[in-house]
Amino acid sequence: MEFPADTRSITLEHMRAFIAVGHCRSFQKAGEQLCRSQSAVTQSVKKLEAHLNCTLVERGNGHTFGLTTAGQRILPELEDILQRFDAVLRAARQPELRGRITVGIPPSFSTVELQAAVARLLALNPDLQIGVISAMSADIDRMLADGSLDVALINQYRFDSSHAPEGIFEVLAQQPLHWASGGHMELAPTVPVPLATYSEGSPWRSATLEALNTAGRSYDFAYVSASYESLCSSVLAGFGITALPDWDMDGRFVILDGTCDLPPLPQVRTVLKTAATSPVLRQFCDFIMQLPFFKNLRPQA
């Protein structure tokens, strides 16, 4: 495949330097983080700017004022490239995965993210087979316990950390749950909340109903579905309001927290569990944990 000369000249070092400056807001601190001199980091960023023909970092009188609009736009894209590259290196350095792994995921999990990750993993490991079952978290937990699943991704709003002693347990993501709608709305306290929610077995549904019942707020089920896409479509079409974590929100939704006399919602999280461990399962779980989607959401210690 032919690449333009200017793009072939962009190195991982250029990208790592810019990403460090973007987060540290300082060439000196970025150099300390990368164990490089300040001048080396500065030169790497300048070369990247020259290759891209744009200014990425606002500078003046020896100070760094932050990223330009162009810098803010490409920072997450370059981070994603490096995270995926690092994932390929880890996979290449480890033994080839063989056998079959059955994974349970809740319907709210990003199927696009999972499909792309599985495709990359299978390309690196042709003797590996992966089966995916989508179900509500309560059902996934039961299937893991009865041996129907090897790996389970489970949503929680009551943070149960119990797992098999010989298994793996990791928190993948933790964020607040929000009230969301397809547009701005006014809802009198005496009017039942038109609720769009998941089917039974979803922690998001349980957290929502518990909050409404505790607050004594009446509600009607306006739309119930086991599908994330169907639920979102119903909310955007105006059927009702729902509860979603930050990672499921995008610019199409309006957050209603603190409005319409709606009660506060709890923190929620996604955890990874296995009932047993093996070199293959450990390597697969590490691959899932290092996905950019989860690395960006992982709670900081």
Side-chain angles (χ1 to χ4, degrees):
M1 179 182 294
E2 291 287 338
F3 292 102
D6 54 347
T7 58
R8 286 183 303 191
S9 301
I10 296 175
T11 69
L12 296 177
E13 205 61 43
H14 297 158
M15 291 188 280
R16 292 191 197 281
F18 167 65
I19 290 170
V21 171
H23 286 293
C24 296
R25 295 294 193 266
S26 163
F27 285 92
Q28 180 179 347
K29 291 180 180 178
E32 293 171 358
Q33 183 184 93
L34 297 172
C35 298
R36 299 178 65 206
S37 67
Q38 178 179 339
S39 61
V41 172
T42 301
Q43 288 303 311
S44 287
V45 173
K46 284 183 177 179
K47 288 178 180 178
L48 180 61
E49 290 176 322
H51 292 315
L52 297 178
N53 194 31
C54 64
T55 302
L56 302 174
V57 181
E58 292 280 7
R59 315 173 184 81
N61 298 322
H63 297 286
T64 302
F65 299 109
L67 300 183
T68 64
T69 300
Q72 293 173 2
R73 183 165 57 88
I74 72 165
L75 177 63
E77 301 299 330
L78 292 182
E79 285 183 304
D80 184 61
I81 290 172
L82 285 185
Q83 287 171 342
R84 292 177 187 276
F85 179 75
D86 289 343
V88 171
L89 287 183
R90 283 194 304 275
R93 290 167 177 167
Q94 293 174 326
E96 184 178 338
L97 293 175
R98 301 173 184 273
R100 179 176 176 81
I101 298 173
T102 304
V103 186
I105 64 169
S108 59
F109 184 76
S110 171
T111 55
V112 173
E113 180 78 19
L114 180 66
Q115 288 166 356
V118 168
R120 293 195 303 275
L121 190 62
L122 292 176
L124 290 167
N125 302 275
D127 291 327
L128 177 67
Q129 293 180 312
I130 299 175
V132 178
I133 298 175
S134 179
M136 292 302 169
S137 290
D139 297 323
I140 291 174
D141 218 354
R142 284 193 291 270
M143 286 189 283
L144 181 68
D146 68 21
S148 302
L149 297 174
D150 299 304
V151 180
L153 274 61
I154 299 170
N155 289 333
Q156 297 180 336
Y157 83 101
R158 288 179 175 165
F159 292 173
D160 177 11
S161 298
S162 62
H163 63 287
E166 65 275 21
I168 299 168
F169 181 93
E170 295 287 345
V171 177
L172 297 177
Q174 182 172 321
Q175 288 184 341
L177 201 61
H178 297 292
W179 292 108
S181 71
H184 295 281
M185 66 164 51
E186 295 182 5
L187 199 62
T190 55
V191 175
V193 175
L195 192 61
T197 186
Y198 284 112
S199 305
E200 289 188 16
S202 163
W204 297 182
R205 173 190 172 114
S206 299
T208 303
L209 299 186
E210 182 176 293
L212 291 169
N213 290 330
T214 300
R217 185 67 195 271
S218 62
Y219 56 87
D220 291 325
F221 288 111
Y223 196 93
V224 177
S225 175
S227 163
Y228 166 74
E229 289 80 9
S230 179
L231 179 66
C232 290
S233 295
S234 72
V235 173
L236 295 173
F239 278 76
I241 65 175
T242 192
L244 295 172
D246 280 337
W247 64 74
D248 279 339
M249 302 281 279
D250 57 37
R252 299 173 300 168
F253 295 98
V254 174
I255 295 179
L256 300 177
D257 295 357
T259 69
C260 302
D261 200 41
L262 294 168
L265 293 168
Q267 289 262 323
V268 294
R269 71 183 188 181
T270 298
V271 302
L272 180 150
K273 296 171 67 174
T274 70
T277 188
S278 68
V280 172
L281 280 182
R282 171 56 69 181
Q283 189 176 334
F284 176 79
C285 290
D286 181 66
F287 180 85
I288 294 295
M289 289 185 283
Q290 296 304 318
L291 288 176
F293 179 80
F294 287 128
K295 284 191 72 173
N296 294 333
L297 294 174
R298 190 153 310 142
Q300 300 300 312

